[in-house]
Amino acid sequence: MTPPYARVALIGLGLIASSIAHAMRRAGMTSHIAGHARSAETRAVAAEIGFCDSVHETAAEAVAGADLVILCVPVGAMGDVAAEIGPHLAAGATLSDVGSVKRAVISAVGPHLPEGVHFIPAHPIAGTENSGPRSGFAELFDGRWCLMTPVTDSDGHALERYMAFWHALGAEVDVMGADHHDLVLAVTSHAPHLIAYTMVGVADDLRRVTDSEVIKYSAAGFRDFTRIAASDPTMWRDVFLNNRDATLEILGRFTEELFALQRAIRTGDGDLLHDYFTRTRAIRRGIIEAGQDTDAPDFGRAHRPRG
Ligand code: NAP
């Protein structure tokens, strides 16, 4: 395949960056992949695995001569990294990021962009609870959405080229305004993560009373919460601090609904509960029909036979 970009720089070498590199290779792209991570340990692991052609001590060295640069660091670190690489970006290069929040990243990165660099913020909605350079895999983006949130002066040709790049990595691609993205993700990802963190925290408090029963008898619902609540603490701290308004808006609505359900339980209003759960079940069906999750029972987990 003719590489859409001759030299791609990945700044930050964790789950998302390593998955991008693996997916590029799977797609047959022969682009030179230059990588940088802040710690010597991560750089050594990346060099050992070999998903980059060159690993650099500084971000400035990694971006030199790159026609595509993707920032793959936590949202709260984007501004500092952009300040460091700004003067070293090649004219005509595309700069993008994979941050889970878009408006805050645009505000943090925008001021450091030199003339002639195309800034195309984006967010692949794909991930796992694992992090670091060993956690990436080529299939991560297959059939998942990558949302582009171009800024007003984003160049149309550069946008099309970058969309084709993500398509080749296996993703479906769509374009959305940054504020709308942040509200949608607050509903679909950010608030659910906070709820999972809270539920696991509550169970942890309870465990002190009931010893190991919470773990021993943990049912599927709680196990799924623990998987989500095992996600990277730095990444998620930054998501909440940088998508504050949208997350608080959704959590406000969540609290109101929770009170309504709490009241229905107290007053014995079974009709309300049944209607509510019927509505939510239909949403699950819609997600499966859209091909965004498996229809296998219990997410396709293998069930061990007794014996
Ligand atoms: P990760 O596996 O934890 O990797 C993060 C990388 O960023 C590491 O190489 C780390 O360097 C570097 N880094 C951390 N703090 C930094 C700082 N203050 N300055 C410079 N570099 C720093 O994270 P990830 O899951 O790939 O996430 C990266 C980005 O993708 C985040 O913006 C996140 O919001 C977004 N995202 C994540 C997911 C997901 O589910 N994980 C999904 C979509 C988008 P060291 O290893 O040297 O510490």
Side-chain angles (χ1 to χ4, degrees), residues 12-16 37-39 42 72-75 77-78 81 98-100 123-124 126-128 131-132 232 235:
L13 296 173
L15 168 71
I16 301 295
R38 62 178 174 170
S39 73
T42 299
C72 305
V73 297
V75 167
M78 299 278 183
V81 172
V98 294
S100 306
H123 176 206
T128 75
S131 46
D232 187 68
M235 170 188 157

Side-chain angles (χ1 to χ4, degrees), residues 118-173:
H118 308 297
F119 181 33
I120 306 176
H123 176 206
I125 307 181
T128 75
E129 67 277 26
N130 299 324
S131 46
R134 293 192 194 279
S135 57
F137 52 98
E139 298 78 21
L140 181 66
F141 310 113
D142 285 352
R144 311 306 298 272
W145 286 100
C146 185
L147 301 177
M148 311 275 139
T149 61
V151 289
T152 39
D153 52 356
S154 286
D155 174 84
H157 177 65
L159 176 62
E160 267 176 38
R161 194 172 166 207
Y162 193 52
M163 287 169 74
F165 172 81
W166 272 98
H167 204 66
L169 301 191
E172 304 280 338
V173 184

Side-chain angles (χ1 to χ4, degrees), residues 49-298:
I49 301 171
F51 60 78
C52 294
D53 296 299
S54 57
V55 178
H56 303 264
E57 252 178 62
T58 68
E61 281 166 22
V63 305
D67 47 0
L68 173 64
V69 175
I70 311 178
L71 307 182
C72 305
V73 297
V75 167
M78 299 278 183
D80 285 349
V81 172
E84 184 192 339
I85 63 171
H88 305 276
L89 292 170
T94 290
L95 173 68
S96 187
D97 75 288
V98 294
S100 306
V101 177
K102 299 283 33 118
R103 175 58 61 199
V105 170
I106 291 170
S107 304
V109 171
H112 305 293
L113 284 178
E115 275 296 309
V117 168
H118 308 297
F119 181 33
I120 306 176
H123 176 206
I125 307 181
T128 75
E129 67 277 26
N130 299 324
S131 46
R134 293 192 194 279
S135 57
F137 52 98
E139 298 78 21
L140 181 66
F141 310 113
D142 285 352
R144 311 306 298 272
W145 286 100
C146 185
L147 301 177
M148 311 275 139
T149 61
V151 289
T152 39
D153 52 356
S154 286
D155 174 84
H157 177 65
L159 176 62
E160 267 176 38
R161 194 172 166 207
Y162 193 52
M163 287 169 74
F165 172 81
W166 272 98
H167 204 66
L169 301 191
E172 304 280 338
V173 184
D174 213 348
V175 178
M176 199 180 259
D179 295 321
H180 188 62
H181 166 278
D182 289 354
L183 185 64
V184 169
L185 266 291
V187 177
T188 58
S189 172
H190 305 167
H193 268 82
L194 198 75
I195 293 161
Y197 281 123
T198 314
M199 201 55 230
V200 174
V202 168
D204 186 45
D205 292 342
L206 191 66
R207 193 162 68 106
R208 297 202 182 102
V209 182
T210 62
D211 202 8
S212 65
E213 285 180 339
V214 168
I215 303 293
K216 189 171 166 192
Y217 300 125
S218 111
F222 181 69
R223 271 192 278 127
D224 294 334
F225 275 139
T226 62
R227 187 188 65 74
I228 296 169
S231 300
D232 187 68
T234 306
M235 170 188 157
W236 283 97
R237 176 202 63 195
D238 284 6
V239 165
F240 293 119
L241 295 181
N242 288 281
N243 197 19
R244 193 181 58 175
D245 293 349
T247 309
L248 290 178
E249 161 71 17
I250 299 305
L251 286 173
R253 291 176 187 226
F254 172 82
T255 314
E256 284 175 23
E257 300 272 310
L258 190 65
F259 279 142
L261 293 178
Q262 203 176 338
R263 188 163 189 281
I265 294 170
R266 189 173 37 248
T267 59
D269 189 346
D271 287 347
L272 189 145
L273 295 173
H274 193 272
D275 288 352
Y276 203 97
F277 302 156
T278 303
R279 188 154 63 90
T280 54
R281 183 180 229 187
I283 291 172
R284 171 74 190 159
R285 220 173 284 130
I287 291 172
I288 291 165
E289 279 163 19
Q292 293 294 306
D293 204 355
T294 173
D295 61 353
D298 198 16

Side-chain angles (χ1 to χ4, degrees), residues 30-43:
T30 52
S31 328
H32 180 99
I33 302 177
H36 161 76
R38 62 178 174 170
S39 73
E41 191 190 341
T42 299
R43 294 197 297 272

